[in-house]
């Protein structure tokens, strides 16, 4: 059994505005930096061996802050970027307000709620493909973790996909969690 600390990065300006950032590379907002500081404080007691993070600035900043805090506490965690944790490509919807998509594309939006396994934003990546990509990467990361805790810093909505994989659950509504807020969940998994 492996313990995985699934971490959402701090917020970006797009998160605060309710916009889909998908795989756009955005830095933390000032509120996001405050969230990450609080997150690092909350997790200072966790014995993290390795922190794997998505290839985006908000996840990298979150990983660096967490790593600094752990080092100050005397815990040296390895930090590694994992390309397969890149966020879902929202295609033509990058930068759109989530409410705008709900209003202007109700059929496709509803598909993301009712059948996320077949959902694909216009010009973007099918959610089922993203799930396969993330599942393989999670298996590799957890295989290396014998004892202790590993951290995965993945932005939404891919963090929710990773959480479903780690808990052995089917995909749930794509829109349940679309923005980041430096939250975390500890999951014991056999993946």
């Amino acid at each position: 059994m492996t313990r995985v600390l699934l971490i959402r990065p701090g917020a970006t300006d797009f998160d605060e505005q309710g916009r889909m950032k998908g795989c756009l590379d955005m830095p933390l907002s000032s509120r996001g930096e405050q969230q990450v500081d609080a997150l690092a404080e909350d997790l200072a007691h966790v014995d993290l061996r390795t922190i794997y993070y998505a290839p985006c600035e908000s996840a990298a900043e979150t990983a660096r802050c967490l790593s600094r805090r752990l080092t100050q506490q005397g815990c040296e965690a390895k930090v590694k970027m994992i390309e397969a944790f890149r966020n879902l490509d929202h295609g033509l919807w990058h930068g759109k307000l989530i409410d705008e998509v709900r209003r202007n594309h109700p059929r496709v939006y509803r598909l993301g709620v009712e059948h996320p396994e077949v959902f694909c934003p216009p010009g973007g990546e099918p959610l089922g493909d993203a799930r396969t990509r993330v599942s393989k990467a999670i298996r590799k990361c957890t295989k290396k973790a014998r004892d202790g805790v590993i951290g995965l810093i993945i932005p939404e909505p891919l963090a929710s996909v990773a959480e479903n994989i780690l808990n052995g659950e089917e995909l749930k509504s794509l829109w349940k969690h679309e923005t980041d807020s430096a939250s975390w969940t500890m999951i014991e998994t056999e993946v």
Side-chain angles (χ1 to χ4, degrees):
M1 181 92 40
T2 302
R3 291 178 23 189
V4 176
L5 185 63
L6 180 61
I7 303 166
R8 276 87 171 163
T12 66
D13 287 337
F14 269 26
D15 292 315
E16 291 179 25
Q17 296 166 12
R19 294 184 182 278
M20 290 183 269
K21 68 179 176 294
C23 58
L24 294 176
D25 196 10
M26 303 186 73
L28 295 173
S29 64
S30 58
R31 189 175 124 242
E33 290 172 357
Q34 293 169 354
Q35 291 171 332
V36 170
D37 286 339
L39 173 81
E41 183 73 31
D42 285 349
L43 299 177
H45 69 283
V46 178
D47 183 21
L48 274 174
R49 306 290 169 114
T50 308
I51 301 170
Y52 299 102
Y53 65 95
C56 65
E57 190 57 30
S58 61
E61 288 180 51
T62 301
R64 285 191 294 269
C65 181
L66 187 54
S67 176
R68 270 194 312 273
R69 179 59 65 102
L70 291 170
T71 300
Q72 291 170 354
Q73 301 293 325
C75 178
E76 197 78 29
K78 291 186 241 168
V79 179
K80 183 174 182 186
M81 189 271 293
I82 303 293
E83 179 61 36
F85 290 157
R86 76 183 176 285
N87 208 358
L88 182 68
D89 182 348
H90 285 305
L92 299 175
W93 286 355
H94 279 113
K96 298 259 188 224
L97 291 168
I98 298 166
D99 287 338
E100 178 184 352
V101 170
R102 183 180 311 138
R103 281 190 317 271
N104 296 340
H105 306 279
R107 195 174 309 161
V108 180
Y109 181 88
R110 194 169 46 252
L111 185 65
V113 173
E114 297 170 357
H115 301 286
E117 68 280 358
V118 297
F119 174 81
C120 182
E125 177 183 23
L127 192 57
D129 291 358
R131 180 182 170 91
T132 300
R133 166 173 53 87
V134 169
S135 183
K136 287 178 187 176
I138 287 174
R139 276 196 302 278
K140 285 182 182 177
C141 293
T142 58
K143 196 180 267 189
K144 294 177 184 176
R146 308 264 184 224
D147 295 322
V149 180
I150 63 168
L152 305 180
I153 303 176
I154 304 174
E156 286 293 353
L158 212 58
S160 291
V161 172
E163 188 169 8
N164 292 146
I165 292 166
L166 290 165
N167 286 322
E169 301 170 347
E170 293 298 314
L171 287 174
K172 296 179 182 169
S173 171
L174 172 67
W175 308 108
K176 184 176 179 188
H177 304 285
E178 178 62 35
T179 59
D180 293 319
S181 61
S183 61
W184 61 274
T185 307
M186 183 70 78
I187 302 169
E188 291 192 7
T189 186
E190 306 242 355
V191 173

